[in-house]
Amino acid sequence: MTDSDLPPRLGSLTFHGPLSEARATRLIERLAAVSPATVLDIGCGWGELLMRVLEAAPGSTGVGIDINAEDLARGRVLAKERGLADRVEFVEESALGTTRGPVDAILCLGSSQALCDPEQPHDPAAALRELRRLVRPGGRVVLGEGFWQRTPSDEKLAGMWPGAHTGDHFLLGPLVDLAIEAGFRPAWIETATPGEWEEFESGYRHDTEVWLAAHADHPLAAETRERVDRQRSSWLNGYRNALGMAYLTLVPVD
């Protein structure tokens, strides 16, 4: 069995999250306005947003860290194609307790769990304290963090991921309060739209759905179909219109 026989992975996504081109452009413009010399992307995936920041901030350098080797390899290819190979490094390592700071700008979109003890429940407060430790005075942090748009009912929770409970996320107000308690001022607060979520959710599964339609009898079809159907159901019957994504542009307090 060759790689071409296997279901594709995330090829229809530009960003690994509910992030539109328009919002990404605005986030990048705000970061580039402070001319960061060093940029750290925690849980970078293939580093699309990181590379766009480097393109918008001439002379800057960046490091993307992640534990997914396939995504990192994709990022290295993209960096070479865009003439950024000498300005960005993609590193396969854990972010827990990282010593890769302090830096001028940090991206952490949907990846704050990488800064937390994996043996403990996800703790956004602990992640925010780590981000404060890693950013230089006058720098910026862009945090993409899930939040409850409203406290979900037991019925909604039952349709989500295994073991989902209300403590998995905060409401938006308490989440922003945590950022302030960690030593930040929230310079910009914005949230993903329903359209951004639909673009992400459909793009997340698109290539695999097309593959399944064409390979119904493939040896991996059954397990792939079960996985994709379960994930899609958790969105449509569970966290759709309940789970939001906040994009917080944070400035450290001196």
Side-chain angles (χ1 to χ4, degrees), residues 26-41 49-63 87 102-107 134-142 249-250 252:
R26 294 192 296 270
L27 290 171
I28 291 163
E29 287 174 348
R30 292 186 205 118
L31 282 182
V34 298
S35 301
T38 51
V39 185
L40 175 65
D41 191 345
L49 196 65
L50 171 60
M51 288 185 281
R52 293 192 188 194
V53 172
L54 300 184
E55 289 169 336
S60 60
T61 61
V63 175
R87 293 174 55 198
V103 294
D104 299 318
I106 301 175
L107 302 171
L134 293 167
V135 67
R136 287 194 178 106
R140 296 291 187 274
V141 172
V142 176
T249 300
L250 305 172

Side-chain angles (χ1 to χ4, degrees), residues 156-209:
K156 272 283 189 182
L157 287 167
M160 297 184 194
W161 50 89
H165 60 92
T166 55
D168 288 341
H169 298 285
F170 289 84
L171 295 172
L172 182 58
L175 174 62
V176 174
D177 289 343
L178 288 179
I180 294 170
E181 291 168 9
F184 291 104
R185 298 305 302 179
W188 208 275
I189 301 168
E190 54 194 308
T191 62
T193 66
E196 285 176 302
W197 270 106
E198 290 177 359
E199 186 76 12
F200 167 61
E201 291 287 347
S202 292
Y204 186 87
R205 288 177 295 275
H206 172 269
D207 293 350
T208 305
E209 294 285 21

Side-chain angles (χ1 to χ4, degrees), residues 37-86:
T38 51
V39 185
L40 175 65
D41 191 345
I42 296 168
C44 64
W46 51 89
E48 178 65 28
L49 196 65
L50 171 60
M51 288 185 281
R52 293 192 188 194
V53 172
L54 300 184
E55 289 169 336
S60 60
T61 61
V63 175
I65 58 177
D66 206 297
I67 58 172
N68 188 296
E70 182 180 348
D71 284 349
L72 293 167
R74 177 178 172 184
R76 294 184 190 105
V77 171
L78 290 172
K80 185 175 181 180
E81 291 174 351
R82 290 152 73 166
L84 293 170
D86 61 341

Side-chain angles (χ1 to χ4, degrees), residues 86-164:
D86 61 341
R87 293 174 55 198
V88 64
E89 181 182 7
F90 290 99
V91 184
E92 184 179 355
E93 67 182 27
S94 169
L96 186 64
T98 182
T99 59
R100 292 191 176 272
V103 294
D104 299 318
I106 301 175
L107 302 171
C108 184
L109 276 67
S111 302
S112 65
Q113 69 278 358
L115 296 167
C116 301
D117 183 347
E119 301 301 319
Q120 300 296 325
H122 178 224
D123 185 355
L128 281 157
R129 290 192 295 269
E130 275 293 275
L131 291 169
R132 180 62 186 85
R133 177 181 70 84
L134 293 167
V135 67
R136 287 194 178 106
R140 296 291 187 274
V141 172
V142 176
L143 172 66
E145 184 71 24
F147 71 96
W148 294 130
Q149 298 183 56
R150 61 190 64 82
T151 302
S153 65
D154 290 342
E155 181 182 2
K156 272 283 189 182
L157 287 167
M160 297 184 194
W161 50 89

